[in-house]
Amino acid sequence: MVALLAACTGDGAGGPAAEPDPIAKVSFEPGDGADDVNPAAPVAVSVADGIITQVALSNADGKQVKGELSQDRHSFRATEPLGYDATYTWSGTAVGTDQKPVPIEGKLSTLAPDKTVPATLNIGDGQEVGIAAPIILQFTAPVQNKEAVEKALTVTTEPNTEGAWAWFPDDNGGSRLHWRPKDYWVPGTAVHLSAKLYGVDLGGGNYGDSDLTTDFRIGRSQIVRADAPSHRMQVVRDGQDVFDFGVSYGEGNEPRNVTRSGVHVVTEKYEDFMMSNPPFYENVRERWAVRISNNGEFIHANPESLSAQGSSNVTNGCINLSPGDAQQFFPTALYGDPVEVTGTSIALSAADGDLYDWTIDWDTWKSMSALQGEPSPVVTATPVPPKPAGG
């Protein structure tokens, strides 16, 4: 009798069984090896059929990017923006449902802008401003991609306030953008501006330098009503007349001596100010000076025109008060207060400086937005250096 012995076989080819591939699959956003990545874009790693046990995203110096691991440990995302023109490396380990480790390995590089462009805001955190104050965003270089900038901006107000952005002619070496409400602010309104400008493509190889935010509040309502033919100036606070001063306005014998009609805005004030209006006078010391436009118009004390105050207009365009009246008015003036001048032969305009916002009708203002026809990102902002003063 012949005994038959059973033999064990492998894979049919005489070798041992193949080890199955690990189950866990690692994927990156953006993909491994990506370059020209926007540093503000989402950056993440995720694992299918497994969990992350260790992970880091590091720059060339080994500094780790701050991030957040999901509660189920399936993904990790960066929680801070990356730097421009930099390379980052993923490292770490994932473990699949088969308990086998899988390395987390990858790289990405961010874009290199020709230039990063800073911007500044005219209203700081915690500041209280008047009811005519616009929010002004001033860039240090021209902006070509205005639509992208507006989409990165959000104004939040309490109570709800209708308003819009408008692009003004470039000034101080760069583009500038103003936001104002349709009508004067409601007193007490709380305002938050979020400007997510970092990583925004401004055009021409330029990108936003950094994000900006500000939280400020609208103060009491104070309106200066300045009627040139009457030679008087009223100050109306919360609907009540608090001052009625005899004053003198621009003589009006030539254009440079005409106080401009229209809604001016208080931008700054000085207890002492050296005024110049060449070639007529230079470095004349004036007291209690409140600037109302960048063409040199102030409300200020002037003892030299005292005899004309309340009876005739003799100034070079400023609104002159007696020293005592000017001293009373001075502490009440707030950045953003409206000064409504009426009854003169020349209207306030772009030729008179940066804050002629309220001379622009609402339909025209909205047409100055780069997002015409699109909803504004509104949920319901260092004054521009002044030009020489004239008195």
Side-chain angles (χ1 to χ4, degrees):
M1 177 182 289
V2 179
L4 302 177
L5 301 177
C8 293
T9 62
D11 59 2
E19 188 75 16
D21 291 335
I23 290 176
K25 296 291 186 295
V26 178
S27 59
F28 300 97
E29 179 189 4
D32 184 20
D35 58 12
D36 285 333
V37 174
N38 189 301
V43 176
V45 60
S46 58
V47 175
D49 299 318
I51 60 170
I52 296 171
T53 58
Q54 183 180 353
V55 66
L57 179 64
S58 306
N59 67 12
D61 295 327
K63 182 180 179 182
Q64 294 185 9
V65 177
K66 293 178 183 178
E68 181 179 67
L69 184 64
S70 65
Q71 192 169 9
D72 60 11
R73 304 182 71 86
H74 289 319
S75 63
F76 172 90
R77 66 179 183 88
T79 55
E80 64 177 341
L82 306 184
Y84 286 114
D85 193 17
T87 298
Y88 293 85
T89 302
W90 286 106
S91 61
T93 305
V95 174
T97 54
D98 58 357
Q99 302 305 308
K100 293 182 179 180
V102 173
I104 297 175
E105 298 174 333
K107 283 191 175 182
L108 64 92
S109 297
T110 57
L111 60 86
D114 291 343
K115 180 181 179 181
T116 60
V117 178
T120 55
L121 288 167
N122 64 320
I123 303 175
D125 269 335
Q127 190 173 347
E128 185 177 80
V129 298
I131 59 173
I135 302 170
I136 302 175
L137 197 61
Q138 174 73 55
F139 291 87
T140 60
V143 172
Q144 296 178 15
N145 195 356
K146 292 179 168 61
E147 296 90 346
V149 169
E150 282 193 55
K151 289 177 180 178
L153 308 176
T154 304
V155 177
T156 307
T157 67
E158 177 58 44
N160 294 350
T161 304
E162 181 181 359
W165 290 103
W167 289 91
F168 278 61
D170 288 6
D171 195 15
N172 295 308
S175 296
R176 60 190 175 113
L177 183 60
H178 293 210
W179 192 97
R180 74 162 173 87
K182 179 181 179 181
D183 303 304
Y184 290 156
W185 293 99
V186 173
T189 298
V191 186
H192 172 76
L193 169 69
S194 172
K196 298 290 187 181
L197 297 173
Y198 182 74
V200 173
D201 182 355
L202 304 180
N206 295 343
Y207 282 78
D209 181 79
S210 58
D211 293 344
L212 297 171
T213 63
T214 187
D215 288 273
F216 63 94
R217 182 170 293 275
I218 308 304
R220 79 289 176 268
S221 168
Q222 179 160 298
I223 302 170
V224 174
R225 292 186 176 143
D227 181 59
S230 71
H231 320 297
R232 303 202 69 81
M233 182 187 98
Q234 285 81 35
V235 179
V236 182
R237 188 179 309 145
D238 296 323
Q240 302 296 316
D241 289 350
V242 291
F243 297 121
D244 186 346
F245 299 130
V247 301
S248 183
Y249 296 89
E251 184 177 4
N253 59 326
E254 53 184 293
R256 71 172 187 85
N257 286 337
V258 176
T259 306
R260 279 20 180 182
S261 284
V263 180
H264 301 61
V265 178
V266 170
T267 55
E268 56 189 354
K269 61 183 185 179
Y270 304 90
E271 290 187 15
D272 287 278
F273 193 77
M274 302 302 292
M275 291 192 182
S276 296
N277 190 2
F280 306 100
Y281 59 87
E282 290 192 43
N283 296 322
V284 175
R285 179 175 179 260
E286 301 290 3
R287 296 276 288 159
W288 314 116
V290 176
R291 184 186 288 276
I292 61 172
S293 86
N294 258 12
N295 69 357
E297 289 174 310
F298 281 79
I299 301 171
H300 68 90
N302 190 349
E304 299 298 321
S305 66
L306 194 59
S307 62
Q309 292 167 21
S311 59
S312 61
N313 294 326
V314 299
T315 82
N316 288 301
C318 289
I319 302 174
N320 286 181
L321 290 77
S322 71
D325 289 347
Q327 188 173 4
Q328 285 189 77
F329 168 68
F330 182 86
T332 75
L334 192 63
Y335 179 87
D337 283 346
V339 177
E340 301 173 350
V341 178
T342 55
T344 71
S345 60
I346 300 177
L348 185 72
S349 70
D352 297 299
D354 62 307
L355 280 184
Y356 54 96
D357 299 35
W358 295 96
T359 69
I360 301 170
D361 69 84
W362 187 239
D363 287 340
T364 301
W365 181 275
K366 290 189 295 182
S367 75
M368 295 164 65
S369 164
L371 297 177
Q372 295 181 50
E374 296 186 40
S376 297
V378 178
V379 180
T380 15
T382 309
V384 177
K387 300 172 185 175

